[in-house]
Amino acid sequence: MIIFGTKGAHVRTEPLPAVTCPTCTVPETLQLSVFSRYAHVYWIPLFPIGKPAVAQCTHCLSAWEQQNMPLEVRGAAQELKEGVSAPIWHWAGLAIIGLFVAWSAVVGAL
Ligand SMILES: [Zn+2]
């Protein structure tokens, strides 16, 4: 049995100045977080498969995923997503496979 699936890890959180929370109407309480989703086999990350973004109000704790975000936040979410990349350890599984293939080729050539 092969255990595989997807997991996510937090990458970056930034405040959103000059934006008012649409739920509690308190200004400058929204923050934007970007996560990195990755595919894994036996809990070893293989490769990243997406960067979901979430906006949250630090005052009323309302939260929105990107498709439900207030319109004035979506542009900032897209910019933040483009500015971050997945952590290098999300490629660990492919790196291990690559090293194994390289090692096999070297051992086979001897
Ligand atoms: Zn709020």
Side-chain angles (χ1 to χ4, degrees), residues 10-95:
H10 175 255
V11 178
R12 185 183 295 173
T13 296
E14 288 189 358
L16 284 171
V19 179
T20 300
C21 173
T23 303
C24 66
T25 66
V26 175
E28 303 196 357
T29 55
L30 288 185
Q31 61 183 23
L32 201 54
S33 297
V34 175
F35 298 83
S36 176
R37 286 199 75 71
Y38 58 89
H40 68 85
V41 174
Y42 292 108
W43 303 280
I44 299 171
L46 277 183
F47 50 84
I49 56 174
K51 292 187 285 188
V54 176
Q56 185 175 27
C57 173
T58 56
H59 183 257
C60 69
L61 301 182
S62 296
W64 302 268
E65 292 183 7
Q66 192 161 5
Q67 62 269 24
N68 304 325
M69 271 180 200
L71 285 177
E72 60 269 27
V73 177
R74 286 191 193 169
Q78 195 61 38
E79 274 181 31
L80 183 61
K81 283 175 71 170
E82 289 168 5
V84 300
S85 55
I88 197 160
W89 61 269
H90 285 186
W91 296 95
L94 282 187

